[in-house]
């Protein structure tokens, strides 16, 4: 483990390199330019390939091309750029390519402002592209968590043969924090990992009489076999792959629902509220897909007076999943910012007090 | 008895192509197969299919291949080749795929001088979707979305891919050929072979544009399409070498 003081975006890129990512393609867009810029410097040092695509569309298709050949590959972008990548991510989902996409949210809809937001929750969790696929969506609240989640992202992508998304906001991307970096995987691991993927499902030359494994041939079970298998995979995630933090929830009378940077700010608000005797806790999805439904469904309406949804998006997006989980049994109120305006801790404190003093 | 003509090993035994009778896609598949056999690289070759009638080749050929979204083959192939430099990579794309929705991916792969081969079937139409106007549809030529014929005032003029790419410094080899008669088929094969040899030699981006027909959507018998091409298509799209760095 190596200790460093790093910016979120660069730390994500370094974690990816240490995980064995050897192909990156991206197109410039604020607030995530530090990710491709870091890869551009770093890839030549480790024998990897960095390509600046002519667009987000080209970049994601390049990432798929590298993944077809067994290389751990990644792209990053922001909001309107992630929209353009939907074509390629949808294709990766159907071709079962284990790629990693880092989505650094800025304001929207449309081109939007370049500052951080959380307005792409639906884009990440509901319907990014066509055809009804799902991504594992990791939502770190700190640079360290972003590093750890990125480092392990390919393990999940390869286990499930499915794209994984690291969903952060512009704040985490530009924030500097002290971190511990995981060790670099070995060259042997990289070579074996690539060879194993090629043998298992990637196309590529084989000595055995050219029995090609076109991705179209990957799933058995007739024309609907692939869709059915993917559906079962997503159902399995709901059981096995949720990840959620309960923060000071044991005695809480008010629960804040938040993820990413909003959760981080909410924790600081909870410190203030607790010091004044307000019993407030936080439920923080560390992955927003699969959504930790049970964490919210298990809340006791007799004990919990309300849920305060804290997110940097209007309309609120996380809120819909929370409400669906509680089946509306617990009244919900909101503390929101949007269009690239960063969440204010004092607003969370004031809103929580208002709810508890009712 | 000596065997002098056979199915290329790249074409699956007992398979039918799915191409319409008289379509040059079939001829080009045979030529690519022969070239891969002659160069002894079938086992090392990976195709990136575009989206269009070309994808019918996916079930017809024996070697490894994968599809790409409409127009993106050159982006996919760029990354595949860069991460697997020892393999032979080629894209097989139509004119709608390569010259309309994928024109950016094509230009930039060419401009980076990517070391793979592009087999480009220009049939002046969107064949697979039923004969809509393509970037290459001739002035006056009818299409389902240009029912009165291509009108430059409304639709602009046909896009000339070889000429366009020849404005760039990086491409190594650009040639336009056709398959409308035996001498031209032989020339086309030579061009395809050169384009693959260039890749083997690490020379960079090579593209062969094959002027083709689409009897089905042109609404002509196959033989009529050949006459039409001689009278019209080849006048708008002159055959020839547009870039050959070997010769420079
Ligand atoms: C994003 C997207 N847009 C449109 C289509 C529909 N489509 C399929 S094939 C095709 C046209 C292909 O024409 P061309 O590339 O000229 O190939 P041809 O069939 O003529 O050989 C189109 C538009 C698609 N598959 N994907
Ligand atoms: S539709 Fe046209 S291009 Fe497609 S296979 Fe038939 S003749 Fe060939
Ligand atoms: Mg066409």
């Amino acid at each position: 483990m190596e200790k460093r003081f790093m910016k979120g975006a660069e730390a994500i890129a370094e974690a990816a390199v240490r995980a064995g990512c050897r192909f990156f393609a991206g197109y410039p867009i604020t607030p995530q330019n530090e990710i491709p810029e870091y890869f551009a410097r770093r890839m030549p040092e480790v024998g990897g390939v960095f390509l600046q695509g002519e667009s987000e569309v080209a970049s994601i298709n390049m990432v798929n091309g590298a993944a077809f050949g067994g290389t751990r590959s990644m792209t990053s972008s922001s909001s309107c750029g992630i929209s353009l990548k939907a074509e390629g991510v949808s294709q990766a989902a159907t071709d079962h390519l284990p790629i990693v996409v880092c989505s650094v949210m800025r304001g929207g809809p449309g081109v939007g402002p370049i500052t951080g937001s959380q307005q792409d929750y639906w884009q990440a969790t509901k319907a990014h592209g066509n055809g009804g696929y799902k991504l594992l969506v990791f939502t770190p609240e700190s640079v360290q968590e972003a590093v750890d989640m990125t480092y392990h992202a390919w393990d999940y992508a390869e286990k499930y043969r499915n794209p994984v998304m690291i969903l952060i906001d512009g704040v985490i991307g530009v924030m500097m924090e002290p971190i511990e970096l995981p060790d670099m995987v070995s060259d042997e691991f990289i070579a074996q990992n690539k060879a194993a993927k090629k043998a298992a499902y990637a196309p590529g030359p084989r000595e055995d009489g050219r029995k090609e494994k076109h991705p179209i041939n990957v799933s058995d079970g007739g024309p609907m076999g692939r869709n059915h298998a993917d559906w079962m995979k997503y159902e399995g995630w709901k059981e096995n792959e949720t990840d959620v933090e309960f923060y000071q929830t044991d005695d809480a009378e008010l629960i804040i629902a938040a993820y990413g940077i909003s959760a981080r700010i909410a924790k600081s608000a909870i410190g203030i509220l607790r010091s004044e005797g307000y019993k407030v806790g936080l439920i923080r999805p560390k992955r927003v897909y699969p959504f930790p439904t049970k964490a919210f469904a298990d809340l006791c309406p007799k004990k919990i007076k309300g849920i305060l949804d804290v997110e940097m998006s209007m309309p609120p997006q996380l809120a819909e999943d929370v409400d669906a989980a509680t089946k509306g049994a617990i009244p919900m109120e909101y503390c929101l910012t949007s269009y690239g305006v960063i969440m204010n801790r004092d607003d969370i404190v004031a809103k929580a007090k208002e709810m508890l003093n009712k | 008895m000596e065997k002098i003509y056979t199915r290329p090993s790249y074409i699956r035994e007992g398979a039918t192509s799915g191409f319409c009778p008289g379509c040059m896609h079939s001829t080009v598949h045979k030529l690519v197969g022969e070239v891969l056999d002659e160069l002894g690289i079938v086992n090392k070759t990976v195709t990136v299919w575009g989206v269009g009638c070309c994808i019918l080749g996916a079930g017809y050929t024996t070697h490894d291949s994968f599809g790409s979204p409409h127009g993106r083959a050159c982006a996919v192939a760029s990354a595949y080749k860069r991460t697997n430099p020892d393999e032979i990579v080629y894209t097989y794309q139509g004119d709608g795929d390569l010259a309309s929705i994928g024109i950016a991916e094509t230009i930039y792969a060419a401009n980076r001088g990517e070391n793979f081969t592009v087999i480009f079937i220009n049939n002046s139409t969107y064949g697979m979707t039923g004969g809509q106007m393509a970037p290459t549809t001739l002035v006056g030529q009818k299409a389902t979305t240009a029912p009165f014929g291509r009108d430059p005032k409304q639709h602009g003029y046909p896009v000339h891919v070889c000429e366009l790419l020849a404005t760039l410094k990086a491409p190594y080899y650009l040639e336009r050929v056709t398959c409308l008669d035996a001498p031209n088929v032989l020339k086309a094969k030579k061009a395809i072979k050169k384009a693959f040899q260039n890749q083997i030699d690490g020379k960079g981006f090579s593209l062969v544009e094959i002027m083709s027909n689409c009897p089905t959507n042109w609404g002509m018998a196959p033989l009529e399409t050949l006459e039409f091409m001689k009278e019209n298509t080849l006048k708008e799209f002159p055959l020839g070498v547009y870039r050959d760095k070997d010769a420079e």
Side-chain angles (χ1 to χ4, degrees):
Chain A
M1 289 276 182
E2 185 190 342
K3 289 195 175 158
R4 283 219 217 150
F5 187 59
M6 276 185 106
K7 208 182 230 192
E10 299 192 336
I12 285 172
E14 180 59 27
V17 168
R18 288 175 184 233
C21 173
R22 289 295 176 272
F23 184 89
F24 181 95
Y27 184 82
I29 183 169
T30 309
Q32 61 81 59
N33 291 316
E34 291 86 348
I35 298 177
E37 286 164 0
Y38 190 89
F39 275 112
R41 299 193 295 274
R42 191 74 169 99
M43 280 306 200
E45 294 174 0
V46 294
V49 177
F50 167 83
L51 263 178
Q52 177 166 327
E54 52 274 19
S55 67
E56 286 85 353
V57 176
S59 304
I60 185 67
N61 281 289
M62 289 170 176
V63 166
N64 288 352
F68 270 123
T71 299
R72 285 190 164 184
S73 62
M74 176 177 182
T75 186
S76 66
S77 189
S78 180
S79 302
C80 47
I82 294 290
S83 293
L84 289 179
K85 289 190 195 288
E87 172 193 83
V89 176
S90 176
Q91 193 64 41
T94 197
D95 287 340
H96 292 167
L97 298 175
I99 62 166
V100 174
V101 177
C102 182
S103 166
V104 185
M105 292 179 276
R106 66 186 215 175
V111 172
I114 61 170
T115 40
S117 91
Q118 295 184 311
Q119 288 177 260
D120 301 323
Y121 178 97
W122 285 334
Q123 184 191 49
T125 59
K126 305 297 176 196
H128 181 213
N130 64 297
Y133 62 91
K134 289 291 184 185
L135 309 173
L136 284 167
V137 185
F138 299 170
T139 43
E141 62 158 8
S142 66
V143 177
Q144 183 67 57
E145 220 173 55
V147 164
D148 297 339
M149 287 176 172
T150 305
Y151 188 71
H152 292 294
W154 282 272
D155 299 339
Y156 290 97
E158 286 164 8
K159 176 175 178 191
Y160 292 111
R161 293 184 52 183
N162 202 87
V164 169
M165 180 176 274
I166 314 284
L167 180 69
I168 64 169
D169 48 80
V171 183
I172 289 177
V174 297
M175 196 159 72
M176 287 190 85
E177 291 193 286
I179 49 161
E180 282 192 357
L181 284 168
D183 293 336
M184 176 81 83
V185 296
S186 66
D187 289 347
E188 293 72 43
F189 171 84
I190 291 172
Q192 278 166 12
N193 178 274
K194 182 175 178 177
K197 278 185 278 181
K198 284 196 99 164
Y201 62 85
R206 260 178 298 279
E207 302 303 319
D208 63 356
R210 302 188 302 281
K211 290 200 192 72
E212 90 284 13
K213 288 181 188 154
H214 190 284
I216 288 168
N217 301 339
V218 166
S219 86
D220 299 324
M224 294 190 293
R226 166 169 306 231
N227 286 166
H228 186 270
D230 287 344
W231 173 34
M232 290 301 118
K233 173 168 75 179
Y234 308 145
E235 287 299 312
W237 291 354
K238 290 182 189 169
E239 290 298 312
N240 305 318
E241 293 297 350
T242 58
D243 195 2
V244 60
E245 182 191 12
F246 296 91
Y247 181 78
Q248 305 202 16
T249 51
D250 284 353
D251 63 342
E253 293 168 0
L254 181 83
I255 292 291
I256 292 176
Y259 70 98
I261 195 65
S262 293
R264 184 88 173 265
I265 299 168
K267 281 183 181 173
S268 148
I270 288 170
I272 297 170
L273 288 159
R274 288 258 167 196
S275 73
E276 295 178 27
Y278 291 96
K279 290 181 178 164
V280 182
L282 165 76
I283 297 181
R284 173 174 77 94
K286 293 164 82 171
R287 296 178 188 168
V288 292
Y289 200 86
F291 190 75
T293 304
K294 195 168 178 304
F296 293 98
D298 286 351
L299 292 175
C300 174
K302 289 194 186 117
K303 200 180 140 208
I304 308 293
K305 285 188 183 168
I307 294 177
L308 175 56
D309 175 73
V310 176
E311 54 181 313
M312 290 171 6
S313 173
M314 295 175 192
Q317 302 184 28
L318 166 75
E320 282 196 357
D321 282 343
V322 175
D323 222 21
T326 64
K327 299 203 165 69
I330 302 173
M332 180 186 282
E333 295 194 37
Y334 309 101
C335 181
L336 308 174
T337 62
S338 201
Y339 211 66
V341 176
I342 306 305
M343 181 61 59
N344 183 344
R345 181 178 66 180
D346 296 343
D347 292 344
I348 304 175
V349 171
K351 187 73 200 175
K353 284 184 185 174
E354 182 196 311
M355 287 175 76
L356 282 170
N357 288 336
K358 253 182 211 164
Chain B
M1 251 202 278
E2 190 195 348
K3 199 176 191 182
I4 54 163
Y5 186 78
T6 186
R7 171 182 56 81
S9 68
Y10 145 110
I11 290 174
R12 199 182 287 249
E13 206 173 339
T16 38
S17 72
F19 298 121
C20 305
C23 175
M24 286 183 206
H25 268 295
S26 296
T27 321
V28 175
H29 265 64
K30 190 192 72 171
L31 295 183
V32 171
E34 286 177 1
V35 163
L36 296 182
D37 272 346
E38 285 167 25
L39 295 173
I41 53 175
V42 182
N43 278 330
K44 293 172 62 161
T45 300
V46 174
T47 315
V48 183
W49 303 109
V51 169
C53 285
C54 53
I55 196 73
L56 296 169
Y60 181 52
T61 50
T62 53
H63 67 315
D64 287 315
S65 67
F66 50 93
S68 59
H70 194 21
R72 314 301 173 219
C74 279
V76 175
S78 295
Y80 189 94
K81 177 72 185 187
R82 284 197 187 214
T83 49
N84 295 278
D86 299 335
E87 298 174 23
I88 301 299
V89 179
Y90 79 97
T91 70
Y92 186 101
Q93 304 176 255
D95 46 321
D97 191 81
L98 179 143
S100 185
I101 191 168
I103 188 81
E105 285 76 5
T106 307
I107 289 177
Y108 281 90
N111 195 44
R112 290 188 301 265
E114 299 287 351
N115 187 33
F116 63 81
T117 304
V118 177
I119 303 296
F120 168 35
I121 308 294
N122 180 350
N123 59 7
S124 316
T125 187
Y126 284 88
M128 177 157 267
T129 40
Q132 294 81 9
M133 188 180 66
T136 46
T137 299
L138 307 179
V139 170
Q141 192 177 4
K142 285 186 181 156
T144 58
T145 49
F148 310 107
R150 184 180 198 133
D151 172 5
K153 282 205 194 102
Q154 264 202 69
H155 310 117
Y157 293 90
V159 172
H160 299 79
V161 169
C162 282
E163 290 86 334
L164 197 70
L165 296 184
T167 64
L168 305 172
K169 276 193 179 157
Y172 193 86
Y173 173 58
L174 306 165
E175 180 164 356
R176 181 180 291 130
V177 297
T178 185
C179 286
L180 58 67
D181 54 22
N184 276 297
V185 169
L186 292 178
K187 274 193 196 160
K189 182 173 168 184
K190 221 176 122 202
I192 291 170
K193 195 164 183 178
K194 186 172 167 70
F196 278 99
Q197 187 64 51
N198 286 346
Q199 184 181 164
I200 294 169
D201 297 340
K203 287 175 172 170
F205 189 86
S206 297
L207 176 144
V208 181
E209 174 174 6
I210 299 122
M211 296 312 302
S212 303
N213 59 348
C214 177
T216 302
N217 289 300
W218 291 5
M220 296 178 196
L223 286 177
E224 284 173 349
T225 64
L226 306 184
E227 285 312 308
F228 179 88
M229 286 180 70
K230 280 182 211 160
E231 290 303 313
N232 304 282
T233 315
L234 298 186
K235 288 184 179 148
E236 178 67 32
F237 290 94
L239 304 180
V241 177
Y242 287 82
R243 167 72 54 79
D244 184 0
K245 286 196 181 177
D246 277 344
E248 282 168 18

